[in-house]
Amino acid sequence: MNHFYTFNREVKNLIKNNPDNKGMQVIERYRKSLRVDLNYYDALEFLGEHLGLELECKEVYERGKFKGYIPQVKLHKGNPYNGKAGIRKITEFPYKSLNKLFDYMSRQYVYFLIDLPDFEKHVFSDREH
């Protein structure tokens, strides 16, 4: 299974299973407000760019041997999380399977986004889409 499909499926299920969650509603409204019909992965990547956040999969090696991927959020200066540039690891546990990584990462990234202070305000501020 394609790992982007896994990401999209998980986010879609999160939103579907939490219809009363304000943060989930904001994500869905944002996706639908875009001029093009984007899947959740692309819409959240676009949103992350707007917010100064970047979802990454870091390859981890130990003594030259591949151990897996660690999901992390790259924070750009001025982001609404803390305003500072840096890295926030989603987990320290490396995933060897991209599908398992994207399954876990999709949910955790959504939780990270909707926990941002004034999430809705930041999502819909100064947008030119």
Side-chain angles (χ1 to χ4, degrees):
M1 184 182 323
N2 179 298
H3 49 279
F4 294 109
Y5 172 82
T6 300
F7 187 100
N8 286 310
R9 181 195 66 215
E10 289 304 311
V11 174
K12 182 178 181 177
N13 286 337
L14 263 179
I15 291 170
K16 178 180 157 193
N17 293 330
N18 296 283
D20 297 329
N21 182 292
K22 186 164 176 69
M24 304 285 181
Q25 293 170 0
V26 169
I27 288 173
E28 187 63 8
R29 268 191 16 242
Y30 173 80
R31 188 180 73 84
K32 289 179 177 178
S33 75
L34 300 171
R35 291 186 181 155
V36 294
D37 187 24
L38 295 178
N39 61 42
Y40 288 101
Y41 181 83
D42 292 336
L44 291 179
E45 185 175 53
F46 200 52
L47 175 58
E49 183 180 309
H50 171 71
L51 296 174
L53 307 170
E54 189 176 340
L55 192 55
E56 299 180 330
C57 302
K58 180 183 175 191
E59 291 184 355
V60 178
Y61 293 88
E62 187 176 293
R63 289 179 264 182
K65 185 178 177 188
F66 178 72
K67 294 306 252 182
Y69 303 94
I70 292 180
Q72 58 189 29
V73 179
K74 184 175 184 178
L75 307 167
H76 296 279
K77 187 176 179 181
N79 71 77
Y81 178 68
N82 64 8
K84 301 174 186 174
I87 298 289
R88 183 170 184 273
K89 290 183 180 174
I90 294 176
T91 182
E92 294 285 335
F93 176 77
Y95 286 85
K96 287 195 176 186
S97 162
L98 279 175
N99 281 331
K100 288 182 181 179
L101 169 81
F102 273 66
D103 178 67
Y104 177 77
M105 181 175 68
S106 61
R107 292 186 306 276
Q108 297 308 310
Y109 187 53
V110 167
Y111 298 142
F112 175 79
L113 287 173
I114 66 176
D115 284 343
L116 289 171
D118 299 317
F119 177 57
E120 184 174 18
K121 180 182 102 183
H122 290 295
V123 168
F124 294 108
S125 68
D126 302 318
R127 288 194 34 239
E128 296 181 15
H129 308 299

